[in-house]
């Protein structure tokens, strides 16, 4: 069976984590990267969080004559795999049709509307997966293990994977609601800093993110508030929350407080999630007294910490869960790409 051809638009943290997980995958062919960065080779080779990539990586520039003009083409080599690298700000200008691109992963965060993101399709891509919440409600958010059954391969050419916080929170809420019924939920995500923040105090469109990321605990809003109702419609209007960005480079924590319909005990909740974790890879279960660095490189969407499950008056549940907001998110993105590809191949893909 032919491999699914993937193009990555935007080669930041998510794009590079994704390519680290895809380049040896038997089902995918990384067919193109679009990035204006002059140091893609170096950033992919050496990562301050995840270490050196165990592969030979080189960049090659080739001179091509187009009419009377000389053009330079860029290629990234990972071992024996050659990937063309483009440098366009406009998706419509990218050669997705020429390259027979099956799925574009848009990891830029720059095209949250259907009108702008659909330019990838106009350029010839069969499908697009966004790594950020969409503004348009017509774009479905799909999370494997949460709501993949709502994906329509004939209609949903553009979908979103949601935010990393939503991808961690949604599985917990889904299983809580299935077992006990959730009437309301408040959450606080203690989240690693991201490149949307400043290293030192400086200008930023967001007054909070203008402050030095490595020197402050910084409150901010989260895209999870858009993604959760999209993937769990019965919980629409029942979930509120916020994020504190803290001075760690990766791995984040969720504090979840939920009001539930049926009474339970901490022991029952621990056993329930332990059973869930044993049956699938979406949710993990922590087995040691842990802090954030313990979960670096985890491929789970979320890991339940059984030490911090508290139930008050039978129906007030408090939980702590962890997630690697970069590597874990990228791993679930691979699962989504695999699901889309296999679903499409049953039809016209």
């Amino acid at each position: 069976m032919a491999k699914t051809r993937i193009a990555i638009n935007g080669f930041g943290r998510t794009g590079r984590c994704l390519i680290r997980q895809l380049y040896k995958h038997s089902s995918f062919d990384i067919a193109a990267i679009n990035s204006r960065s002059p140091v893609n080779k170096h950033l992919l080779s050496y990562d301050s969080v995840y270490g050196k990539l165990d592969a030979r990586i080189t960049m090659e520039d080739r001179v091509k004559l187009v009419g009377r003009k000389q053009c330079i083409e860029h290629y990234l080599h990972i071992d024996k795999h050659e990937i063309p690298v483009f440098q366009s700000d406009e998706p419509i200008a990218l050669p997705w049709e020429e390259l027979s691109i099956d799925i574009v992963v848009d990891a830029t965060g720059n095209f949250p509307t259907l009108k702008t993101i659909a330019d990838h399709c106009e350029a010839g891509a069969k499908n697009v997966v966004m790594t950020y919440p969409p503004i348009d409600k017509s774009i479905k958010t799909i999370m494997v293990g949460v709501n993949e059954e709502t994906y329509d391969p004939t209609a949903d050419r553009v979908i979103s994977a949601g935010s990393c916080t939503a991808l961690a929170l949604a599985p917990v809420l889904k299983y809580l609601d299935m077992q006990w019924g959730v009437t309301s939920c408040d959450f606080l995500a203690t989240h690693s800093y991201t490149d949307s923040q400043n290293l030192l105090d400086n200008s930023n469109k967001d007054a909070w993110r203008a402050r030095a990321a490595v020197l402050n605990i910084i409150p901010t809003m989260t895209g999870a508030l858009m993604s959760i109702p999209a993937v769990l419609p019965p919980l629409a209007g029942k979930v509120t929350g916020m994020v504190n960005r803290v001075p760690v480079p990766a791995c984040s924590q969720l504090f979840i407080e939920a009001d539930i319909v049926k009474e339970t005990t901490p022991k029952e909740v621990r056993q329930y999630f332990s059973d869930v974790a044993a049956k699938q890879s979406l949710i993990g279960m922590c087995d040691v007294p842990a802090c954030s660095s313990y979960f670096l490189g985890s491929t789970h969407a979320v890991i339940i910490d059984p030490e911090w499950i508290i139930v008050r008056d039978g129906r007030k549940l408090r939980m702590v869960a962890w997630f690697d907001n970069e590597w874990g998110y990228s791993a679930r993105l691979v699962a989504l790409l695999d699901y889309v590809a296999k679903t499409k191949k049953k039809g016209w893909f």
Side-chain angles (χ1 to χ4, degrees):
M1 184 178 290
K3 291 185 177 183
T4 301
R5 291 176 62 78
I6 303 290
I8 299 175
N9 188 47
F11 209 48
R13 297 300 302 164
T14 300
R16 294 195 300 274
C17 281
L18 180 62
I19 206 170
R20 279 174 169 243
Q21 297 185 40
L22 281 181
Y23 84 98
K24 286 186 177 180
H25 200 291
S26 60
S27 299
F28 298 106
D29 178 18
I30 305 167
I33 295 168
N34 185 45
S35 169
R36 298 187 69 86
S37 171
V39 289
N40 284 322
K41 169 184 174 273
H42 186 72
L43 289 174
L44 182 60
S45 299
Y46 305 98
D47 191 279
S48 298
V49 177
Y50 300 106
K52 187 178 184 298
L53 183 61
D54 185 21
R56 184 174 183 270
I57 303 174
T58 59
M59 281 294 297
E60 179 188 3
D61 293 338
R62 298 177 191 164
V63 178
K64 180 180 179 180
L65 192 63
V66 180
R68 295 183 178 181
K69 292 183 179 180
Q70 286 187 341
C71 299
I72 298 178
E73 295 181 336
H74 310 282
Y75 294 88
L76 177 71
H77 296 264
I78 305 177
D79 290 333
K80 296 181 180 180
H81 190 72
E82 179 179 275
I83 307 168
V85 179
F86 302 98
Q87 298 180 330
S88 175
D89 292 329
E90 303 296 333
I92 194 68
L94 292 163
W96 299 153
E97 184 173 12
E98 178 184 338
L99 293 172
S100 301
I101 298 299
D102 295 315
I103 306 174
V104 172
V105 177
D106 193 288
T108 64
N110 294 336
F111 308 102
T113 67
L114 183 59
K115 182 178 180 180
T116 55
I117 196 70
D119 280 348
H120 287 298
C121 299
E122 290 295 320
K126 295 184 179 74
N127 290 87
V128 183
V129 175
M130 305 160 60
T131 66
Y132 46 94
I135 291 176
D136 287 353
K137 292 184 179 180
S138 60
I139 300 175
K140 286 183 184 177
T141 299
I142 304 294
M143 299 177 183
V144 175
V146 177
N147 73 327
E148 69 272 24
E149 70 281 355
T150 66
Y151 174 65
D152 182 347
T154 62
D156 299 327
R157 292 188 67 187
V158 177
I159 61 173
S160 168
S163 71
C164 58
T165 300
L167 189 54
L169 180 61
V172 180
L173 291 181
K174 175 181 178 176
Y175 281 96
L176 283 177
D177 195 45
M178 286 172 54
Q179 185 70 7
W180 291 286
V182 173
T183 58
S184 67
C185 172
D186 296 308
F187 70 91
L188 173 66
T190 305
H191 197 290
S192 62
Y193 57 79
T194 70
D195 61 7
S196 68
Q197 297 172 252
N198 288 338
L199 182 62
L200 295 172
D201 288 357
N202 210 337
S203 177
N204 191 298
K205 63 182 180 181
D206 185 316
W208 289 273
R209 298 188 191 204
R211 305 308 299 272
V214 296
L215 298 176
N216 292 284
I217 298 172
I218 300 175
T220 187
M221 299 303 293
T222 170
L225 296 177
M226 291 191 290
S227 298
I228 292 298
V231 298
L232 296 171
L235 296 184
K238 298 180 180 180
V239 181
T240 60
M242 61 171 289
V243 172
N244 279 331
R245 296 284 180 88
V246 296
V248 295
C251 294
S252 302
Q253 183 200 72
L254 279 170
F255 174 76
I256 303 167
E257 185 172 80
D259 292 317
I260 55 178
V261 177
K262 301 175 185 177
E263 289 193 3
T264 190
T265 65
K267 183 178 179 180
E268 287 180 348
V269 178
R270 290 188 194 102
Q271 187 59 54
Y272 174 67
F273 276 105
S274 180
D275 292 343
V276 169
K279 296 174 183 177
Q280 41 73 58
S281 61
L282 181 68
I283 297 176
M285 198 77 172
C286 182
D287 56 1
V288 298
C291 56
S292 60
S293 61
Y294 180 79
F295 304 99
L296 189 68
S298 169
T299 57
H300 296 295
V302 64
I303 305 98
I304 306 296
D305 195 328
E307 293 294 324
W308 304 104
I309 295 175
I310 300 168
V311 178
R312 182 163 58 88
D313 299 330
R315 293 190 175 92
K316 179 73 77 173
L317 173 63
R318 292 174 177 171
M319 301 175 63
V320 168
W322 304 87
F323 60 106
D324 185 329
N325 50 284
E326 294 185 337
W327 197 260
Y329 181 83
S330 298
R332 301 315 304 171
L333 186 56
V334 172
L336 178 58
L337 295 175
D338 194 45
Y339 182 82
V340 170
K342 288 177 178 177
T343 306
K344 285 287 188 181
K345 284 176 180 176
K346 292 178 182 178
W348 53 267
F349 187 44

